[in-house]
């Protein structure tokens, strides 16, 4: 599974364990809310994990449009003097609704549900799922930072030893 990192523009590869953990959170959201689809994507519009009824949907187009929705509303937020972008977006249709939740600054959760499902249930359960995913992503980032620090130290140490050997007078 790949997830976009914003700071350096590179894609980070997450383990199967991470993918399955997020998928479990989405499955729990679906089973408790009776929504049709739960989808986790990055803010560039790349779909990462989804659960539910997506057979007839173009997920790439749907997530790209949702990412554009966040970008547009971020600008609206700025124009009205908000310091931060809107975290939750809701679109109500005749038979279905879409609820979007920012997950940190880099990701979002999309929930597609029938009009027969109460918006309040979707909101509460989506917020709970966002908290769980956010917490999990923070744990992954902390682990990644520790690994990078270790690798940076190891690389510097190995490089210094190699330079000492190479540049040492014979």
């Amino acid at each position: 599974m790949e997830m976009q990192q914003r700071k350096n523009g590179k894609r980070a590869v997450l383990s199967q364990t991470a993918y399955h953990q997020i998928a479990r959170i989405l499955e729990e959201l679906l089973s408790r809310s009776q929504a049709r689809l739960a989808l986790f994507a990055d803010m560039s519009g790349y779909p990462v994990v989804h659960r539910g009824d997506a057979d007839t949907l173009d997920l790439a187009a749907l997530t790209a449009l949702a990412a554009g929705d966040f970008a547009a509303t971020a600008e609206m937020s700025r124009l009205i003097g908000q310091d931060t972008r809107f975290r939750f977006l809701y679109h109500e249709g005749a038979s279905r609704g879409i609820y979007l939740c920012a997950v940190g600054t880099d990701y979002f959760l999309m929930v597609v549900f029938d009009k027969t499902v109460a918006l309040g249930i979707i909101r509460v359960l989506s917020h709970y799922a966002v908290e769980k995913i956010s917490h999990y992503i923070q744990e992954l980032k902390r682990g990644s930072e520790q690994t990078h620090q270790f690798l940076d130290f190891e690389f510097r140490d190995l490089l210094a030893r190699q330079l000492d050997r190479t540049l040492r007078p014979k």
Side-chain angles (χ1 to χ4, degrees), residues 27-139:
E27 288 168 3
E28 179 184 353
L29 171 61
L30 284 180
S31 70
R32 294 180 69 194
S33 70
Q34 298 180 347
R36 290 181 151 283
L37 174 68
L39 193 148
F40 179 72
D42 71 14
M43 283 294 182
S44 68
Y46 180 81
V48 178
V49 183
H50 76 276
R51 288 295 180 263
D53 184 16
D55 293 338
T56 61
L57 299 176
D58 182 348
L59 294 182
L62 190 59
T63 54
L65 290 167
D69 197 6
F70 273 106
T73 57
E75 184 60 17
M76 283 189 271
S77 175
R78 187 189 68 75
L79 289 171
I80 65 169
Q82 290 255 130
D83 291 336
T84 58
R85 68 175 177 205
F86 296 115
R87 294 178 32 223
F88 308 105
L89 309 174
Y90 170 59
H91 299 284
E92 182 179 347
S95 61
R96 291 197 181 128
I98 296 176
Y99 192 65
L100 299 164
C101 307
V103 181
T105 58
D106 297 332
Y107 308 101
F108 66 88
L109 171 68
M110 174 188 292
V111 181
V112 178
F113 58 98
D114 291 331
K115 194 170 184 176
T116 58
V117 179
L119 175 60
I121 295 293
I122 297 297
R123 288 183 66 179
V124 168
L125 295 175
S126 295
H127 293 207
Y128 179 68
V130 166
E131 285 180 20
K132 289 173 79 173
I133 293 170
S134 295
H135 179 73
Y136 189 68
I137 288 173
Q138 288 303 319
E139 287 177 5

